[in-house]
Amino acid sequence: MDELDSEIVRLLQTDARQSNRELARQLGIAPSTCLERVRALHRRGVIRGYHADIDPAAPNRSVQALVSVQVRPLNRVVIDAFKGFASGLPEVLHVFVLSGGDDFLLHVAVQDLDHLHAFLTDRLSTRGEITGFRTSVIFQQVSNTAPARLPTPG
């Protein structure tokens, strides 16, 4: 990605609903050039889609938590099976496969603490491959929705 592509991505991360004409105006380029650059970013898989940022409390998910999970035996079959299981749970927003002491990190969002407790005891503790998990409730979240491109080393 060159500087123009990086700026297109940054502007779209800030407001993906802006028109191609507005995007081109901000970049100081012709709308046709802008449209072709955006299409190329899609073709190359840089832009994977557009999403609405929804307040988790709106769909009745006011409690969020991060659940660190350890599984055994640690092999591809177990990892893939647990990843598939966890990603299919309606409470799970994100599944991260990790290195280090924990094997997975689950970002979950539920109605309240009772539902979080039920999720942990009814969904996770029943899985035979799970050898342990720890839960951290999220009180506040701040996101960098438009991270800048980092310089290339060298």
Side-chain angles (χ1 to χ4, degrees), residues 78-101:
V78 172
I79 291 170
D80 288 345
F82 183 78
K83 182 175 60 175
F85 163 75
S87 65
L89 296 173
E91 299 89 349
V92 175
L93 301 178
H94 300 97
V95 176
F96 300 95
V97 181
L98 308 175
S99 66

Side-chain angles (χ1 to χ4, degrees), residues 48-134:
R48 299 184 301 185
Y50 300 92
H51 311 278
D53 184 18
I54 307 297
D55 177 1
N60 200 21
R61 294 174 177 259
S62 58
V63 172
Q64 293 185 64
L66 298 174
V67 182
S68 303
V69 180
Q70 303 85 40
V71 297
R72 294 293 177 269
L74 199 54
N75 61 48
R76 183 172 300 279
V77 172
V78 172
I79 291 170
D80 288 345
F82 183 78
K83 182 175 60 175
F85 163 75
S87 65
L89 296 173
E91 299 89 349
V92 175
L93 301 178
H94 300 97
V95 176
F96 300 95
V97 181
L98 308 175
S99 66
D102 297 318
D103 303 309
F104 291 90
L105 182 65
L106 308 180
H107 178 195
V108 302
V110 293
Q111 298 92 319
D112 51 37
L113 288 175
D114 288 337
H115 282 87
L116 178 60
H117 184 253
F119 171 79
L120 297 170
T121 56
D122 298 339
R123 303 281 187 143
L124 291 190
S125 67
T126 61
R127 299 289 296 196
E129 73 272 28
I130 295 178
T131 59
F133 58 85
R134 289 183 324 278

